[in-house]
């Protein structure tokens, strides 16, 4: 009540000043009053009612029709005021949700964080950039007691918070695997059972898991419906698809996954990716896999991390710096 009494006095003073001199200073006082009314949740119809009352005091000779017009304006502004208050409420809720999502994104980043192994025989580079605040992509490295390097890359069919929650579950399941159960086919079969039991039937997860043995340089791998990667063979200077067939995680509980092997020679390169890389959309449509392979070829002389960084920058620029899907690219390059 004290605020409204004070407001009425300031409004009377500002209105009288403006009607008398019509200066910019008087208008500025009106703007200050407007901000105060919003801060104190004074509705538009209350302001109009106050304006009419004060106008009748300071200008008693005004035509009655002018004064009556404020009654009409008040009715109009009542609807506006209700809509405005609803807007403010929604804006407040949106700000709260934004803060919660930012917090969740930070938590997810911490949960999914992984360290790239430092191995003498292999140069490894990785980049993962979410299209939104929270990612539906996931990649993970693990080094077992025999120094074998496990690499996982997964993609939830979907985006946003549900996808991010699925990725966190996959990470937890990966961390729970026994040390001696890192054979790619076994890993996917274990994770498939977890996903089938815990994920909504409308959501599916694609995944690729590979295991590199630094002693014999054999790369074993299996896939669950994941985007095929590439394999660069240095001796023949050729690049081919790294195909591996397998059902998506979560479709059938008893699914068995086939395991593949590749002998990795000096200079050879394993390229793993999510569909956000191959489904890069430009003004001319999706890029071709051959185009992506050429981009990789153009960077063969660089280190693995420089290659993935350069590819990301190039594709990001082609999309006018607006990612439409989560982007994950991993390169394992055997030293010459």
């Amino acid at each position: 009540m004290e605020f409204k009494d004070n407001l009425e006095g300031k409004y009377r003073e500002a209105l009288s000043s403006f009607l008398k001199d019509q200066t910019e200073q008087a208008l500025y006082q009106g703007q200050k009053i407007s901000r105060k009314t919003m801060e104190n949740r004074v509705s538009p119809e209350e302001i109009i009612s106050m304006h009419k009352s004060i106008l009748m005091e300071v200008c008693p000779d005004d035509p009655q029709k002018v004064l009556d017009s404020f009654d009409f304006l008040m009715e109009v502004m009542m609807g506006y005021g209700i809509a405005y208050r609803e807007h403010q409420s929604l804006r407040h809720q949106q700000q709260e949700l934004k803060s919660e999502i930012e917090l969740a994104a930070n938590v997810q980043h911490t949960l999914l964080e992984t360290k790239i192994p430092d191995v003498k025989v292999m140069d490894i580079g990785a980049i993962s950039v979410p299209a939104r605040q929270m990612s539906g992509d996931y990649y993970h490295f693990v080094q077992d007691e025999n120094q074998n390097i496990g690499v996982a890359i997964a993609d939830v069919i979907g985006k946003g918070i549900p996808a991010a929650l699925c990725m966190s579950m996959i990470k937890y399941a990966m961390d729970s695997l026994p040390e001696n159960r890192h054979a790619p086919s076994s890993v996917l079969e274990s994770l498939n059972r977890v996903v089938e039991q815990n994920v909504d039937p409308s959501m599916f997860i694609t995944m690729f898991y590979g295991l590199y043995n630094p002693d014999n340089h054999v790369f074993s791998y299996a896939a669950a419906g994941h985007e095929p990667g590439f394999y660069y063979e240095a001796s023949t200077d050729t690049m081919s698809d790294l195909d591996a067939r397998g059902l998506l995680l979560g479709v059938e509980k008893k699914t068995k996954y086939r395991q593949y092997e590749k002998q990795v020679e000096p200079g050879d390169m394993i390229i793993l990716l999510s569909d956000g890389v191959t489904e890069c959309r430009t003004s001319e449509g999706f890029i071709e896999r051959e185009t992506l392979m050429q981009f990789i070829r153009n960077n063969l002389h660089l280190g693995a991390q420089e290659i993935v960084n350069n590819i990301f920058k190039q594709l990001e620029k082609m999309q006018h710096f607006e990612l439409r899907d989560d982007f994950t690219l991993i390169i394992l390059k055997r030293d010459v």
Side-chain angles (χ1 to χ4, degrees):
M1 191 67 184
E2 182 180 348
F3 167 77
K4 291 192 175 180
D5 290 341
N6 190 35
L7 171 66
E8 189 171 335
K10 289 186 175 180
Y11 197 95
R12 182 183 290 102
E13 182 182 337
L15 180 59
S16 300
S17 176
F18 176 73
L19 291 175
K20 180 181 178 182
D21 302 319
Q22 297 186 13
T23 63
E24 290 293 328
Q25 181 63 28
L27 287 174
Y28 175 66
Q29 291 300 318
Q31 291 174 9
K32 289 173 66 176
I33 290 171
S34 177
R35 285 194 288 270
K36 286 293 183 183
T37 58
M38 283 191 284
E39 290 172 7
N40 289 273
R41 301 181 180 276
V42 179
S43 67
E45 62 268 24
E46 288 179 284
I47 297 172
I48 293 170
S49 177
M50 180 175 61
H51 180 92
K52 178 184 177 183
S53 177
I54 293 172
L55 188 63
M56 291 173 67
E57 292 178 23
V58 299
C59 300
D61 298 328
D62 274 357
Q64 186 61 39
K65 285 186 178 181
V66 172
L67 299 175
D68 291 343
S69 70
F70 284 102
D71 294 331
F72 178 80
L73 181 59
M74 195 182 307
E75 288 296 322
V76 173
M77 295 309 291
M78 283 178 68
Y80 174 86
I82 293 170
Y84 177 76
R85 286 190 289 274
E86 288 176 350
H87 170 76
Q88 289 294 90
S89 176
L90 288 173
R91 186 180 176 188
H92 178 69
Q93 292 174 29
Q94 188 179 45
Q95 288 173 336
E96 286 186 338
L97 182 60
K98 183 180 178 181
S99 297
E100 289 177 3
I101 291 175
E102 286 176 353
L103 179 60
N106 290 333
V107 171
Q108 186 201 31
H109 178 74
T110 302
L111 284 173
L112 301 187
E113 196 170 14
T114 186
K115 184 179 180 181
I116 297 176
D118 185 10
V119 191
K120 292 181 180 179
V121 296
M122 183 70 74
D123 181 21
I124 303 174
I127 186 170
S128 187
V129 182
R132 301 179 183 174
Q133 285 179 289
M134 302 187 75
S135 180
D137 279 4
Y138 161 73
Y139 77 95
H140 182 67
F141 291 100
V142 61
Q143 199 164 7
D144 65 20
E145 67 276 6
N146 298 318
Q147 302 305 304
N148 295 319
I149 304 164
V151 54
I153 180 170
D155 184 5
V156 176
I157 299 176
K159 296 183 179 68
I161 294 176
L165 290 173
C166 282
M167 283 299 99
S168 300
M169 183 197 65
I170 288 288
K171 170 64 162 56
Y172 177 77
M174 285 285 297
D175 290 342
S176 302
L177 291 174
E179 285 290 324
N180 61 348
R181 289 292 305 277
H182 280 161
S185 57
S186 297
V187 168
L188 292 187
E189 286 164 16
S190 296
L191 294 178
N192 179 62
R193 288 191 291 271
V194 172
V195 172
E196 196 275 336
Q197 292 173 12
N198 297 281
V199 175
D200 187 276
S202 65
M203 296 190 72
F204 300 101
I205 300 171
T206 71
M207 189 170 184
F208 179 101
Y209 188 80
L211 189 68
Y212 180 75
N213 186 325
D215 293 328
N216 60 15
H217 303 289
V218 171
F219 183 66
S220 307
Y221 59 96
H226 196 76
E227 182 75 20
F230 300 110
Y231 189 88
Y232 173 73
E233 191 173 287
S235 61
T236 59
D237 189 31
T238 57
M239 193 172 293
S240 57
D241 287 345
L242 192 67
D243 277 323
R245 299 182 181 278
L247 196 63
L248 286 75
L249 298 181
V251 176
E252 172 56 51
K253 185 177 182 178
K254 297 182 179 180
T255 299
K256 295 293 181 181
Y257 291 93
R258 178 183 171 186
Q259 188 163 300
Y260 302 77
E261 287 188 354
K262 199 89 172 174
Q263 184 67 46
V264 184
E265 302 295 343
D268 285 5
M269 209 160 63
I270 300 160
I271 300 106
L272 308 177
L273 40 83
S274 64
D275 59 11
V277 181
T278 53
E279 293 181 5
C280 166
R281 186 190 293 273
T282 68
S283 56
E284 299 176 358
F286 292 117
I287 65 166
E288 301 291 337
R289 284 178 69 87
E290 290 74 17
T291 304
L292 183 57
M293 284 193 276
Q294 188 57 50
F295 288 165
I296 296 169
R297 279 184 167 280
N298 294 343
N299 290 274
L300 285 175
H301 61 287
L302 300 173
Q305 191 59 51
E306 289 180 283
I307 296 175
V308 296
N309 289 343
N310 284 358
I311 298 299
F312 171 70
K313 289 176 183 176
Q314 194 161 6
L315 295 182
E316 184 187 37
K317 185 177 180 181
M318 290 175 66
Q319 296 179 90
H320 306 291
F321 303 96
E322 291 184 10
L323 292 182
R324 292 173 173 82
D325 198 359
D326 302 320
F327 182 105
T328 301
L329 180 62
I330 301 170
I331 287 180
L332 296 89
K333 186 177 185 182
R334 184 181 168 186
D335 291 341
V336 178

